[in-house]
Amino acid sequence: MSAAAGGARVHTLEARGLCKTFGEKQVLQNVNIHLDEGEIVGLLGVSGVGKSTLFNLLSGLLVPDEGQVLLEGRQAAGLTGRIGYMQQKDLLLPHKKIVDNIALPLVLKGEKKKEARRRVEEELAAFGLEGTADKYPDQLSGGMRQRAALLRTYFFNGRVALLDEPFSALDAITKTQIHQWFLQVMSRIRMSAIFITHDVDEAILLSDRLYIMAGSPGSIAAELKVDAPRPRGTLFTASAEFMERKRRILSALQIG
């Protein structure tokens, strides 16, 4: 976050008063959220509340009926290619090697294939992908594919990313392992991210702040700071502070 002229706060990414209607159904009403440099922000809510629609607005794939999307203080509504967007499925191309899947954003930006491959290979170890450069997606586990997808997103835009349920397809053991890896790698690369989840424990474990969406049309029902240092070990999920945050979230979601 930086300061603009006159002392106004400029966020890395901000939504102001977003509204969106499809046909006669209003999906979002007056949504206001922001993301600051180096933050991981969770977006939690029941299915159908408008989380994916909000992501499509933030990424420029949809244009809001009302409101603004600001990227580092500049209007970004309807402008694609500005923000990394990792969807729920990894979307790795099955006919391309992992190194070429990950290098795709660099090649599309005009880099030579050889240089793009070199840059990718330099990062593989840091993302836990040693020895995978010449493998194909179907030769990797689900967790490894998600690591590759995140690295591809990082090369698309190393500053800010939208992650749509990035770990929902993983089994419980793999998810626990990749959560710890994710916190470590995000601290290293300092990429700001908003991620969608339906998992309350995951939301608290990974987030610096949480937005809870509710209602029809969807709006922001609550904002919660986690205020626990990162990276967080698995014991954090058994702590009193974790359980208190979980109670507050379930109350905001009107669950239990």
Side-chain angles (χ1 to χ4, degrees):
M1 181 176 62
S2 58
R9 298 168 69 182
V10 177
H11 301 288
T12 299
L13 180 63
E14 184 178 9
R16 293 182 182 174
L18 291 187
C19 299
K20 186 65 180 177
T21 298
F22 296 104
E24 297 182 356
K25 180 176 176 58
Q26 186 173 7
V27 178
L28 296 177
Q29 179 177 348
N30 193 33
V31 173
N32 297 277
I33 67 170
H34 70 270
L35 173 69
D36 288 326
E37 184 178 357
E39 272 194 315
I40 302 175
V41 171
L43 184 63
L44 185 67
V46 299
S47 296
V49 78
K51 301 183 298 297
S52 292
T53 298
L54 175 56
F55 264 29
N56 287 333
L57 291 170
L58 294 174
S59 66
L61 294 174
L62 291 176
V63 178
D65 300 328
E66 298 178 35
Q68 294 179 299
V69 176
L70 301 173
L71 182 61
E72 296 180 337
R74 297 183 178 182
Q75 182 61 246
L79 301 178
T80 59
R82 306 295 180 91
I83 296 172
Y85 191 174
M86 177 177 160
Q87 297 182 330
Q88 186 173 354
K89 295 182 179 180
D90 58 65
L91 300 180
L92 297 175
L93 301 175
H95 62 283
K96 284 186 176 290
K97 295 179 178 180
I98 292 300
V99 65
D100 293 318
N101 263 288
I102 297 171
L104 190 59
L106 300 175
V107 174
L108 291 175
K109 291 177 184 179
E111 285 198 23
K112 299 291 186 182
K113 185 176 180 180
K114 183 177 180 180
E115 173 62 15
R117 280 183 155 205
R118 183 194 64 78
R119 288 182 59 187
V120 169
E121 288 170 353
E122 287 181 348
E123 292 290 341
L124 288 178
F127 277 72
L129 293 166
E130 305 97 318
T132 66
D134 293 325
K135 293 184 181 298
Y136 289 91
D138 65 0
Q139 296 177 290
L140 269 60
S141 67
M144 297 289 271
R145 290 169 64 110
Q146 289 304 94
R147 293 177 188 229
L150 184 64
L151 180 52
R152 182 180 58 188
T153 303
Y154 173 68
F155 278 118
F156 184 87
N157 184 321
R159 296 178 297 112
V160 58
L162 304 173
L163 313 176
D164 190 349
E165 295 193 68
F167 313 124
S168 63
L170 303 178
D171 62 80
I173 294 175
T174 302
K175 185 183 288 191
T176 298
Q177 294 170 340
I178 207 167
H179 281 164
Q180 295 306 308
W181 166 82
F182 177 75
L183 289 171
Q184 291 166 5
V185 78
M186 290 295 284
S187 293
R188 185 182 73 83
I189 65 178
R190 295 289 296 172
M191 184 167 66
S192 308
I194 304 175
F195 74 100
I196 290 174
T197 182
H198 290 96
D199 185 330
V200 174
D201 288 8
E202 177 178 81
I204 302 170
L205 178 65
L206 301 184
S207 302
D208 298 305
R209 287 186 299 113
L210 278 171
Y211 287 109
I212 299 171
M213 288 188 70
S216 181
S219 59
I220 301 300
E223 178 185 354
L224 175 68
K225 290 185 178 181
V226 177
D227 284 338
R230 286 199 271 124
R232 300 166 189 148
T234 53
L235 291 179
F236 174 64
T237 58
S239 67
E241 59 180 328
F242 183 95
M243 297 308 296
E244 172 59 19
R245 286 170 174 81
K246 186 170 183 177
R247 184 193 64 77
R248 290 169 58 190
I249 290 170
L250 294 177
S251 176
L253 289 168
Q254 297 183 337
I255 298 174

